[in-house]
Amino acid sequence: MEFPRSRIISARRLSLLMKEASRSSERFCFILGSGASVESGIPSGSSLEMQWMDCLME
């Protein structure tokens, strides 16, 4: 079963959601599944962190 594309959000949208959540008690949990790899097109944790930090620092 494939993850529905309609549920995928951009790094920009995620950073905005995290900014909004930081002002409330809402929290996030990130889970990387078994088999997740850069070779399969999934960004690495450090790559995602850099994208998120760029968005958060704007």
Side-chain angles (χ1 to χ4, degrees):
M1 175 180 269
E2 189 173 314
F3 190 79
R5 287 216 163 287
S6 62
R7 303 279 308 188
I8 298 173
I9 63 173
S10 67
R12 175 79 177 138
R13 179 70 180 134
L14 176 61
S15 69
L16 292 173
L17 290 170
M18 292 180 74
K19 277 183 185 180
E20 291 171 13
S22 70
R23 296 182 201 119
S24 69
S25 61
E26 190 172 352
R27 298 293 178 249
F28 291 88
C29 175
F30 298 93
I31 301 171
L32 291 178
S34 175
S37 67
V38 174
E39 292 83 18
S40 64
I42 299 169
S44 68
S46 62
S47 173
L48 287 173
E49 178 187 8
M50 292 303 293
Q51 289 178 32
W52 296 335
M53 292 305 292
D54 286 344
C55 289
L56 290 170
M57 296 299 174
E58 288 181 352

